[in-house]
Amino acid sequence: MTSSEVDLPVVAFEPGRWGDPGAPMHLSESVLGALTMLGIDGGPGPGAELFLMPSRVSGRALSALQKTGAAVAADDATRLAHLRGYSTPDLLKYRAGDTSDAPDVVVTPSTAEQVGEVLAVCAAKDLTLSPFAGGTSVTGGLAPERARPVVALDLRALTGLIALDAVSQVATLAAGTRLPEAERLLAEQGYELGHFPQSYEGATVGGCAVTRSAGQSSIGYGRFDEMVVGLTVATPQGVAEIGTAPKSAAGPDLRQLFLGSEGAFGVVTAVRVRVHPVPTVRRFYGWHFADFASGAYAMRVLAQGSVRPTVLRLSDEVETALNLADPSAAGEAAAGGVMMIVGFEGDERDVDCRDGYVSARLAELGGRFLGEGPGEAWRVGRFRGPYLRDPLLDAGALVETLETVTFWSNVERLKADVTAAITGALGDQGTPAVVMCHISHVYPTGASLYFTVIAKALEDPLAQWLRAKEAANTAIRAAGASITHHHAVGTDHRSTYLEEIGEVQLAALRAVKAALDPRGVLNPGILLP
Amino acid sequence: MTSSEVDLPVVAFEPGRWGDPGAPMHLSESVLGALTMLGIDGGPGPGAELFLMPSRVSGRALSALQKTGAAVAADDATRLAHLRGYSTPDLLKYRAGDTSDAPDVVVTPSTAEQVGEVLAVCAAKDLTLSPFAGGTSVTGGLAPERARPVVALDLRALTGLIALDAVSQVATLAAGTRLPEAERLLAEQGYELGHFPQSYEGATVGGCAVTRSAGQSSIGYGRFDEMVVGLTVATPQGVAEIGTAPKSAAGPDLRQLFLGSEGAFGVVTAVRVRVHPVPTVRRFYGWHFADFASGAYAMRVLAQGSVRPTVLRLSDEVETALNLADPSAAGEAAAGGVMMIVGFEGDERDVDCRDGYVSARLAELGGRFLGEGPGEAWRVGRFRGPYLRDPLLDAGALVETLETVTFWSNVERLKADVTAAITGALGDQGTPAVVMCHISHVYPTGASLYFTVIAKALEDPLAQWLRAKEAANTAIRAAGASITHHHAVGTDHRSTYLEEIGEVQLAALRAVKAALDPRGVLNPGILLP
């Protein structure tokens, strides 16, 4: 095993703070210096105390839920552990003592059949149900409307490798299986999922499916929605087994209707997903390019060709210079330019073949080879970026990320427009912002853009950020791009999403919702209004 | 230009006979010899005369259709030219003088706006509408229910390259553009679609979209449903522009709801699709393997790896030996074993890189290199196979194809079961059959199987074939495979399709249908009951 990912433990995130509580991250001197330049000179003080409103689920309904055999808990600690996700607004609300989105009760089924029974109880008792798996949503995907009492359906007891078809390289995983656990179970059989979103430590396979997650190896192994070959979905109308073959011409591909449905149409209980043998070789390189445009052009050439690496990402000038996650490695970039990470995984001959071709192309396209040092540094630290957010908030910074995707011809415009929108909206509030960007997912026809924003936090950082986010959303729509490449819609993106899809597509989605969930049990307000 | 495909003319198929009427195919002596071995010794005589029932569209409705600006024709010749497609049952019905599925009127819009207006007239006048583009359906996709009068909407006047985004390598093509015309227009700009189904000469981009076509270069350029990045769809509820970005996490991927929808939800009027620069190098090789199993294993190794050819297909022992399309090239196979075709397209360096890797792997896996001769022979004759069917029917043979797809672990069983089902059903009728098979589309997780069947035709060859088809369908369902890999559902596969998707998925599709087409104007009975 060469994979450090498999060695990561399955950890329980704490409410209100990202990641493994046993491995917190501290701000380096250079980061603290950068904060000083932004006028950030003191934290907001301790968060407010947390009080919960009483659960609105009646004793009779609790009893009916218990009869399904699922575990039922309505204590404060359990409800708080299912309060929203990990967007900066979520963290800020937590710090402000806002517990208004806490579920009324948490139900933890241990079988897929119990999921169906819980759905039936919810319909009968006029409860709503919000699936909760990794809990790592950053788009309000865990904060449904609360007109009726909310059951959080914790799927993490539905865990494990249900089946492995080694010939077809297809694994069936229970939906609540965390990604590190999936990798551990698969590695025992010699296989790997290879899906590494930055939320890897917390995310589940079911969550990755319903949010269309993209992992850092997307150019090699595909997005999660490309890896999925089948889904088992519990709906209020019964169980659907979706996906008969790798690809088919038998009507619409309904996998793609449930992928990205964010629990609005049903609860995914199992995922059949493509896997591959554990790579015997992993090579990660850094490459230097003169500027973002020339680096992005090189990425486009590779993405539009047939021979590709397994990982490909490009930081812009600001992100390269700041390299927040590992400032000690930023020396190379201090001289200007941008950093590209190029990774290869496979067996030796396959990696040699692709590495030879790709490296020659990158050199011709103006790249300067920096060797494995920066590549390995990135690989080892690849999940650490989000750990910085809590200490940055502690230090008085406002920090958040957002992402989008468009066609190649629109990438430069989109990057400029979103950056201008954010810096404008924050500048207007007297808080000049640093906005950095990277491309981490590329396709033959386009690429994602992922922005990180840092500014001094105002008295009401939530309102401050929402102005910037609104400006960014407007810029994304104006540029004709999609509101999200891999973070999903949730509640935060819903209004922009509805503009993006338009009336006819909305009518189709509403019709599916009404047919499969006529009582509106499932995740009201998530994805659809 | 090295592409012979671009030089193919856009031809009008004749009713009741496949392909370019100017390039008919004649049976070779060796094929005639094989027919004799099957007891096939005389044709069925000339077909019946064709009489049409009068059009059921009222003068008032005709007048309303004409007011849209679209061309309207209800003469016999035009209606006959839109009678069904080109399955063997379609051809047999044509020969039997069965014109019962002829549309009542043919409407040819010249703008996308007119499509919407025609839809509105149909709803107002209680007409149904069946989109007709290439007319090459082989699954009854052009034979909707006829309880109400049927308008065939001929889309072939919606033709042309609407836009080319060369940076993003995305072309916007009018839905009625025939594939050879699309290639001609793109080649003028230096680009290529590279989508080569066997129906290439007749098929349109819109038809390829709504039926999930797969071209012979699917391992290189993807299936058509993977190449599409956007659709413009005219529905009775208005126009939908679907697809904002290459990939997105903004909800379900609704492109995949309309792809494969076979005109049941709307009329696709334009398709935005991935293209690539015209290859400067094309290399096609033949490889010999000892048997189908070892050839299929080699394909699986390539499909599950990262370095792949552009074309990959494998004929089984029977197909290799018979090599109907070019019996003169079958010499190699006469010694036993199976033929694999491996093609590479791209620039020289890219092709060299992939060719070197792939050829080395194939040699290790037991392949024997046969050089470019068999590869080029296949490439040049790649669209000629279907031309054989009419002369075979003329000669007294029953000949038809069918196809399916499953996961790799199920490929051998599926092939054996379908073969046994067909030979059993035909043998029971006293007509022993030759069943041959090839794999022409592979994925990391599975592969398609394409069967060709030849037997002596009985007095009622339609009834004879339907028994074999029913047996094949049952075997496909029993093996858990999909009823179609790239021929779509139409009417012929509908009942098996409904078993395949089950009640919950059907409920979702019915809901979409009811929401977008509440009057049931669009293609009644196609895809959905």
Side-chain angles (χ1 to χ4, degrees):
Chain A
M1 284 302 309
T2 63
S3 168
S4 66
E5 289 75 21
V6 175
D7 301 330
L8 284 172
V10 175
V11 295
F13 288 20
E14 280 179 356
R17 286 188 91 83
W18 179 267
D20 180 359
M25 204 150 166
H26 304 286
L27 302 182
S28 65
E29 286 304 315
S30 65
V31 170
L32 291 170
L35 296 185
T36 305
M37 293 200 302
L38 283 167
I40 299 166
D41 52 7
E49 271 196 83
L50 295 166
F51 297 101
L52 280 178
M53 295 292 286
S55 171
R56 296 172 296 167
V57 177
S58 69
R60 191 170 294 184
L62 282 179
S63 164
L65 289 168
Q66 278 159 344
K67 281 199 191 121
T68 65
V72 176
D75 62 281
D76 282 7
T78 305
R79 291 171 63 203
L80 273 180
H82 296 79
L83 170 60
R84 304 190 191 97
Y86 288 91
S87 69
T88 292
D90 289 346
L91 300 182
L92 293 172
K93 286 178 190 170
Y94 191 90
R95 287 167 183 242
D98 176 354
T99 63
S100 59
D101 291 314
D104 291 282
V105 60
V106 177
V107 174
T108 305
S110 52
T111 68
E113 292 67 34
Q114 287 173 3
V115 173
E117 292 167 34
V118 171
L119 279 170
V121 171
C122 289
K125 301 291 181 189
D126 213 23
L127 308 174
T128 64
L129 181 145
S130 185
F132 185 103
T136 55
S137 170
V138 291
T139 58
L142 299 168
E145 281 168 16
R146 301 179 46 76
R148 288 170 285 163
V150 176
V151 174
L153 188 78
D154 190 322
L155 293 163
R156 285 175 293 186
L158 296 182
T159 187
L161 177 60
I162 298 169
L164 176 66
D165 176 349
V167 169
S168 309
Q169 300 192 351
V170 173
T172 306
L173 289 154
T177 312
R178 305 274 203 100
L179 296 180
E181 176 72 357
E183 293 296 8
R184 192 184 65 72
L185 293 167
L186 286 164
E188 290 174 2
Q189 315 282 326
Y191 289 85
E192 181 190 79
L193 191 55
H195 185 68
F196 303 122
Q198 216 165 23
S199 58
Y200 175 76
E201 292 158 281
T204 63
V205 293
C208 290
V210 298
T211 58
R212 295 186 174 274
S213 169
Q216 291 161 340
S217 306
S218 64
I219 192 173
Y221 305 129
R223 300 162 53 89
F224 206 73
D225 53 21
E226 295 170 324
M227 297 167 68
V228 170
V229 296
L231 297 167
T232 305
V233 187
T235 80
Q237 303 300 306
V239 175
E241 291 287 350
I242 309 173
T244 312
K247 296 281 179 181
S248 163
D253 186 347
L254 293 179
R255 294 175 291 210
Q256 300 293 333
L257 183 65
F258 286 85
L259 292 165
S261 65
E262 302 188 29
F265 300 156
V267 179
V268 172
T269 58
V271 181
R272 292 180 288 288
V273 63
R274 174 150 56 92
V275 297
H276 54 263
V278 173
T280 53
V281 176
R282 298 183 199 263
R283 275 184 223 153
F284 285 77
Y285 301 134
W287 282 83
H288 175 271
F289 282 83
D291 51 33
F292 183 77
S294 60
Y297 176 71
M299 291 180 101
R300 174 160 76 84
V301 168
L302 291 183
Q304 293 179 338
S306 299
V307 182
R308 302 184 187 125
T310 309
V311 169
L312 187 61
R313 54 191 290 129
L314 179 73
S315 293
D316 74 355
E317 290 83 351
V318 180
E319 187 172 284
T320 300
L322 210 51
N323 195 352
L324 271 178
D326 183 10
S328 66
E332 180 65 39
V338 299
M339 172 83 88
M340 181 186 289
I341 300 294
V342 185
F344 300 91
E345 296 180 346
D347 64 32
E348 183 147 11
R349 202 156 40 141
D350 157 74
V351 166
D352 280 347
C353 171
R354 292 187 288 139
D355 183 358
Y357 179 88
V358 167
S359 294
R361 294 307 301 255
L362 289 175
E364 287 165 17
L365 292 164
R368 184 156 51 81
F369 185 61
L370 303 177
E372 294 201 53
E376 272 301 298
W378 173 81
R379 190 175 80 82
V380 170
R382 64 205 279 187
F383 306 123
R384 295 297 285 166
Y387 281 79
L388 277 167
R389 195 171 38 161
D390 294 299
L392 282 167
L393 294 176
D394 294 341
L398 174 71
V399 55
E400 179 58 308
T401 64
L402 59 86
E403 41 82 62
T404 177
V405 55
T406 193
F407 294 99
W408 282 113
S409 58
N410 199 35
V411 163
E412 290 277 347
R413 176 202 162 176
L414 180 63
K415 181 172 186 288
D417 288 359
V418 171
T419 302
I422 295 169
T423 52
L426 289 171
D428 288 350
Q429 299 178 72
T431 52
V434 171
V435 178
M436 61 196 98
C437 181
H438 64 251
I439 294 177
S440 43
H441 307 276
V442 294
Y443 307 95
T445 56
S448 70
L449 288 173
Y450 190 100
F451 297 89
T452 302
V453 184
I454 307 178
K456 176 184 168 72
L458 293 174
E459 193 72 24
D460 183 352
L462 181 58
Q464 178 193 8
W465 170 248
L466 291 180
R467 279 179 63 180
K469 175 74 175 174
E470 178 68 27
N473 289 356
T474 302
I476 288 168
R477 273 313 303 141
S482 181
I483 190 60
T484 173
H485 173 266
H486 59 269
H487 282 171
V489 175
T491 48
D492 297 357
H493 291 150
R494 199 183 64 202
S495 64
T496 315
Y497 169 63
L498 297 181
E499 289 173 32
E500 182 175 330
I501 64 171
E503 287 298 327
V504 174
Q505 292 178 75
L506 176 58
L509 291 177
R510 278 186 190 279
V512 173
K513 172 77 175 172
L516 299 190
D517 181 24
R519 302 287 298 269
V521 166
L522 286 158
N523 252 353
I526 307 288
L527 187 69
L528 300 174
Chain B
M1 284 303 307
T2 63
S3 169
S4 67
E5 289 75 22
V6 175
D7 300 329
L8 285 172
V10 174
V11 295
F13 288 19
E14 280 180 355
R17 286 188 91 84
W18 180 268
D20 180 358
M25 203 149 166
H26 304 287
L27 302 182
S28 64
E29 286 304 314
S30 63
V31 169
L32 291 171
L35 297 185
T36 304
M37 293 200 302
L38 283 167
I40 299 167
D41 51 7
E49 270 197 84
L50 296 166
F51 297 101
L52 280 177
M53 296 291 286
S55 172
R56 297 172 295 167
V57 176
S58 69
R60 193 171 291 184
L62 281 179
S63 162
L65 289 168
Q66 279 160 342
K67 280 199 189 120
T68 65
V72 176
D75 61 281
D76 283 6
T78 305
R79 290 170 64 203
L80 274 181
H82 297 79
L83 171 60
R84 306 192 190 97
Y86 288 91
S87 68
T88 292
D90 289 345
L91 300 182
L92 293 173
K93 287 178 189 169
Y94 190 90
R95 286 166 183 244
D98 176 355
T99 64
S100 58
D101 292 313
D104 292 282
V105 60
V106 177
V107 175
T108 305
S110 53
T111 67
E113 292 66 35
Q114 288 173 2
V115 174
E117 291 166 37
V118 171
L119 278 171
V121 170
C122 289
K125 302 292 182 189
D126 212 22
L127 307 173
T128 64
L129 181 146
S130 185
F132 185 103
T136 56
S137 171
V138 290
T139 58
L142 299 167
E145 282 168 17
R146 300 179 47 75
R148 290 169 284 164
V150 176
V151 175
L153 188 78
D154 190 323
L155 293 163
R156 285 174 293 188
L158 296 182
T159 187
L161 177 59
I162 297 168
L164 176 66
D165 175 349
V167 170
S168 309
Q169 299 190 352
V170 172
T172 305
L173 289 154
T177 311
R178 305 275 202 101
L179 296 180
E181 177 72 358
E183 293 296 8
R184 192 186 63 75
L185 294 168
L186 285 165
E188 290 173 3
Q189 314 283 324
Y191 289 85
E192 182 190 78
L193 192 54
H195 185 68
F196 303 122
Q198 217 165 22
S199 59
Y200 174 77
E201 294 158 279
T204 62
V205 294
C208 290
V210 298
T211 59
R212 296 186 172 274
S213 169
Q216 292 161 341
S217 306
S218 63
I219 193 173
Y221 306 130
R223 298 161 55 89
F224 206 72
D225 53 21
E226 295 169 324
M227 297 167 69
V228 170
V229 297
L231 298 166
T232 305
V233 187
T235 81
Q237 303 299 307
V239 175
E241 291 287 350
I242 309 175
T244 312
K247 296 281 179 180
S248 162
D253 186 347
L254 293 178
R255 294 177 291 210
Q256 300 294 333
L257 183 65
F258 287 86
L259 292 165
S261 65
E262 301 188 31
F265 299 156
V267 178
V268 171
T269 58
V271 181
R272 293 180 287 289
V273 62
R274 175 150 56 92
V275 297
H276 54 264
V278 174
T280 54
V281 176
R282 299 184 200 262
R283 273 183 224 154
F284 286 76
Y285 300 134
W287 282 82
H288 174 271
F289 282 83
D291 52 31
F292 184 77
S294 60
Y297 176 71
M299 291 180 102
R300 173 159 75 84
V301 169
L302 292 182
Q304 293 178 339
S306 300
V307 182
R308 302 185 188 123
T310 309
V311 169
L312 187 61
R313 56 189 289 128
L314 178 74
S315 293
D316 74 356
E317 289 83 350
V318 181
E319 187 173 285
T320 300
L322 210 51
N323 196 353
L324 272 176
D326 184 9
S328 65
E332 180 64 37
V338 300
M339 172 83 87
M340 182 186 288
I341 301 295
V342 185
F344 300 91
E345 296 180 346
D347 64 33
E348 184 147 12
R349 201 157 39 144
D350 156 74
V351 167
D352 280 347
C353 171
R354 292 185 291 138
D355 184 358
Y357 179 89
V358 167
S359 294
R361 294 306 302 256
L362 290 175
E364 287 165 17
L365 292 164
R368 183 158 50 83
F369 185 62
L370 303 177
E372 295 199 52
E376 271 302 297
W378 173 82
R379 189 175 81 81
V380 170
R382 64 204 280 187
F383 306 123
R384 294 297 282 166
Y387 280 79
L388 277 167
R389 196 170 36 160
D390 294 299
L392 283 168
L393 294 176
D394 294 341
L398 174 72
V399 55
E400 179 59 309
T401 64
L402 59 86
E403 40 83 61
T404 177
V405 54
T406 194
F407 295 99
W408 282 113
S409 58
N410 199 35
V411 164
E412 289 278 346
R413 175 202 163 175
L414 180 64
K415 180 171 186 288
D417 288 0
V418 171
T419 302
I422 295 169
T423 52
L426 289 171
D428 287 350
Q429 300 178 72
T431 51
V434 170
V435 179
M436 59 197 98
C437 182
H438 63 251
I439 294 178
S440 43
H441 307 278
V442 294
Y443 307 95
T445 56
S448 69
L449 288 173
Y450 189 101
F451 298 89
T452 301
V453 184
I454 306 179
K456 176 183 168 69
L458 293 174
E459 193 71 24
D460 183 351
L462 181 57
Q464 178 192 8
W465 170 248
L466 292 180
R467 280 179 62 181
K469 175 74 174 173
E470 178 68 28
N473 290 356
T474 302
I476 288 168
R477 274 313 302 140
S482 182
I483 189 61
T484 172
H485 173 265
H486 59 269
H487 282 170
V489 174
T491 50
D492 296 357
H493 289 151
R494 198 183 64 202
S495 64
T496 315
Y497 169 63
L498 297 182
E499 289 172 34
E500 182 175 330
I501 63 171
E503 287 298 326
V504 174
Q505 293 177 74
L506 175 58
L509 291 177
R510 279 187 189 279
V512 172
K513 172 78 175 170
L516 299 190
D517 181 24
R519 302 287 299 268
V521 167
L522 287 157
N523 252 352
I526 307 288
L527 187 69
L528 299 174

